[in-house]
Amino acid sequence: MDVHLTIHGRQNLAGQLYRQLRAGVMDGRLAPGQRLPSTRELALQLGVSRKTTLDVFERLIAEGYLRSRAGDGTFVADAMTRLSPPPTKPATSPATGSIWDEIDDALPMTRTEAPPDYDFVGGVTDKRLFPFDQWRRCVSHALRIQARGRGAYHDPAGEQELRLAVARYLAFSRAVVSHWQEVIITQGAQQALDLLTRVAIRPGEVIAMEDPGYPPARILFAALGARVVPVPVDEEGLIVDALPPNARMVYVTPSHQFPLGMPMSLERRLALLAWAQQHGALVVEDDYDGEYRFEGRPMESLKSLDTAGVVAYVGTFSKTIFPELRVGYVIPPAPLGTALRRARQVSDWHSCTMTQIALAKFMLDGYFAKHLRRMHKEYAARRAALLERLRGDLAQWFTPLPSAAGIHLVAAIRAPHDEAAVIRMAASGSVGLYGTAGMFARAAPRPALLFGYGGIDVAGIQAGLGRLADALSSLRGRAEGPLRQG
Ligand SMILES: Cc1ncc(COP(=O)(O)O)c(C=O)c1O
């Protein structure tokens, strides 16, 4: 291998190894098609655990830097786009010594080059079903409005008509009642989390979050200098009794725990609100995909149960429209509103007004509700197909976890198989599967996969799972021992 790997200390071993291997691929020291040492050899050579090397390989395979061939090994992917090597950092690089040198690498991006034939990646929606003709009309309307008047900066909280449309939509479909002036439009949920952290948390203060939890939130909180304390979840959601008493903020996904999927029970919701009130903490409710609910009755949002004013409700159009729209919103407790507007203004003034006006029209003219109804039906069919197979011919390998909402579900891998081996086998049949181990702060209690169905239709699900079953069966036939030893 033409890349020298070194490990410093015992901190974030996987992160160190991941960054060095990725850099080797990107700058060409690792050539396309080149075979890498086995995860076992590499673990021995570097003095790290086999799990560390497996996790790193799995992530690099999932991101398209490496590919694996069943029984043959792991290779540098052929279709890597070469970027010119980054200029060597001057000794006095302005970033040196800042917190940005220490936090985890960039957030994962959905792979666009050479995706697998059947990709169960999470966090994507199906744009083929989006009504672009209606959207075009809304954008034309927004352009006509934009062409009028002077070029000027607008309200950091967002365009009035979009705030109104969001307030109406939330009252009607999520039982979150607010005045439009309480709604602050953001660049996706991520910016809402960023602004909330900036105004509510000082560096060194504690943010508690679910474990497993949403990695982009964890990375963001750490980057802003917070001490992030993982709090375990069980089948009722966040274990409120395990919250650290000094937490100033608690980040939760009560409608559809990310990634495991269960809703937070009503009892826990009430306990969390009482806890936050008693400890003077802010609760951030990330309702990222609760629109898609397939079973049972909708549970009251934390915001709608919040009589003490401790909840900031965060939502997004990333799952209902598509992520690159970059529109989300937050309804904070009233006293935080002014600080959030200021934080937004000094950060980037406000979101693009054309997108906001177009989206407001899309919502107020009823196109959004129609699109949601259509997608709900479509995703329900995909989810049903996926569950039927996971509980049917794939039940010898997987156990789906209970989940009533959203556009992904998690299935535990049955012993003795492990995440990396199943992902590798799937990749050999051009099926993209993704593990959940990286979403845990502590060691994951059991191997599990996240099956996203936002970007794969029923036919794809059937064909992809067929290939997966074949790959897993052939492996079982060939291997003497369990997959773990493969
Ligand atoms: C838990 C969670 N929150 C929020 C989001 C959406 O974030 P954004 O609105 O920044 O795209 C996602 C998307 O995958 C998510 O999984």
Side-chain angles (χ1 to χ4, degrees):
M1 190 163 59
D2 294 325
V3 64
H4 180 67
L5 300 170
T6 45
I7 293 290
H8 300 287
R10 304 307 295 164
Q11 293 286 314
N12 193 7
L13 302 177
Q16 294 188 39
L17 185 55
Y18 166 81
R19 277 190 283 276
Q20 292 179 51
L21 281 172
R22 195 180 72 151
V25 176
M26 294 303 284
D27 64 21
R29 281 173 296 150
L30 289 169
Q34 186 176 338
R35 178 197 293 273
L36 295 184
S38 73
T39 51
R40 188 174 283 123
E41 281 163 13
L42 201 57
L44 271 175
Q45 182 191 324
L46 297 173
V48 300
S49 75
R50 174 91 188 288
K51 180 170 182 322
T52 302
T53 52
L54 272 171
D55 286 351
V56 170
F57 272 38
E58 180 191 318
R59 181 168 169 196
L60 289 164
I61 290 169
E63 291 173 353
Y65 294 101
L66 305 181
R67 64 183 163 76
S68 73
R69 266 205 313 256
D72 199 10
T74 305
F75 301 82
V76 178
D78 294 323
M80 279 314 305
T81 318
R82 272 298 129 65
L83 299 181
S84 49
T88 34
K89 220 184 197 183
T92 54
S93 161
T96 306
S98 88
I99 200 159
W100 298 99
D101 288 340
E102 284 151 38
I103 62 158
D104 264 354
D105 219 336
L107 305 181
M109 304 248 274
T110 316
R111 187 163 19 149
T112 48
E113 300 152 35
D117 293 347
Y118 304 105
D119 199 359
F120 289 90
V121 67
V124 300
T125 59
D126 202 333
K127 283 210 278 197
R128 288 170 310 175
L129 299 176
F130 185 70
F132 276 102
D133 283 342
Q134 291 162 359
W135 181 245
R136 199 170 291 116
R137 282 203 282 280
C138 297
V139 171
S140 300
H141 161 82
L143 278 175
R144 281 195 296 278
I145 304 243
Q146 206 173 39
R148 292 187 212 135
R150 293 184 306 155
Y153 293 103
H154 283 219
D155 188 337
E159 295 300 294
Q160 179 174 339
E161 55 266 60
L162 181 57
R163 295 163 77 193
L164 188 69
V166 168
R168 275 193 200 158
Y169 160 68
L170 291 179
F172 182 72
S173 64
R174 311 293 301 135
V176 173
V177 178
S178 62
H179 191 274
W180 69 265
Q181 283 173 318
E182 294 173 78
V183 177
I184 297 176
I185 303 297
T186 56
Q187 293 273 127
Q190 191 72 9
Q191 191 185 38
L193 301 182
D194 178 79
L195 296 175
L196 284 165
T197 310
R198 284 172 197 271
V199 303
I201 299 295
R202 290 177 202 277
E205 288 186 336
V206 169
I207 299 181
M209 68 177 282
E210 297 162 333
D211 187 30
Y214 182 50
R218 184 160 55 221
I219 296 170
L220 168 72
F221 299 149
L224 292 175
R227 276 205 295 131
V228 185
V229 176
V231 177
V233 298
D234 63 14
E235 63 286 350
E236 290 190 58
L238 181 95
I239 301 178
V240 175
D241 288 342
L243 280 168
N246 57 347
R248 308 283 308 132
M249 185 166 129
V250 184
Y251 167 79
V252 280
T253 48
S255 299
H256 186 225
Q257 201 277 333
F258 187 91
L260 300 181
M262 65 286 184
M264 186 187 268
S265 69
L266 183 58
E267 207 178 2
R268 287 281 170 82
R269 286 174 198 239
L270 295 172
L272 176 58
L273 292 175
W275 188 95
Q277 195 179 351
Q278 194 189 346
H279 290 78
L282 174 70
V283 175
V284 177
E285 173 175 31
D286 182 357
D287 195 11
Y288 63 105
D289 68 359
E291 285 80 4
Y292 299 119
R293 187 168 184 83
F294 306 110
E295 284 170 22
R297 76 171 184 87
M299 196 86 78
E300 286 87 346
S301 63
L302 283 174
K303 184 76 178 169
S304 66
L305 296 168
D306 175 27
T307 48
V310 293
V311 176
Y313 178 88
V314 171
T316 177
F317 290 93
S318 288
K319 308 286 170 172
T320 50
I321 297 188
F322 36 74
E324 64 260 52
L325 193 71
R326 303 313 302 138
V327 184
Y329 43 86
V330 50
I331 303 173
L336 282 188
T338 307
L340 281 171
R341 284 169 76 128
R342 286 192 190 131
R344 178 72 207 258
Q345 193 173 23
V346 299
S347 164
D348 66 344
W349 279 98
H350 56 74
S351 300
C352 162
T353 54
M354 193 196 67
T355 305
Q356 292 187 64
I357 297 168
L359 181 54
K361 185 161 176 62
F362 190 71
M363 295 178 85
L364 295 170
D365 285 2
Y367 299 136
F368 181 61
K370 195 163 162 215
H371 175 59
L372 266 187
R373 281 196 297 276
R374 179 176 187 208
M375 295 317 293
H376 192 282
K377 208 165 147 207
E378 172 66 25
Y379 290 143
R382 295 180 187 189
R383 175 176 175 274
L386 183 55
L387 279 173
E388 193 183 299
R389 296 291 297 268
L390 290 173
R391 290 178 182 147
D393 60 325
L394 291 162
Q396 53 186 314
W397 291 291
F398 303 109
T399 310
L401 304 188
S403 159
I407 52 175
H408 76 262
L409 58 84
V410 168
I413 300 173
R414 296 178 80 125
H417 310 312
D418 73 25
E419 267 180 42
V422 174
I423 289 169
R424 265 202 312 278
M425 284 314 296
S428 70
S430 201
V431 176
L433 292 183
Y434 303 86
T436 56
M439 296 167 188
F440 283 83
R442 69 205 143 108
R446 59 195 291 199
L449 297 175
L450 183 147
F451 286 86
Y453 45 88
I456 182 164
D457 60 15
V458 170
I461 289 171
Q462 298 292 12
L465 294 184
R467 277 209 202 164
L468 177 64
D470 289 348
L472 293 173
S473 312
S474 75
L475 184 113
R476 174 171 270 189
R478 262 187 290 131
E480 282 180 12
L483 280 181
R484 193 184 290 284
Q485 294 167 9

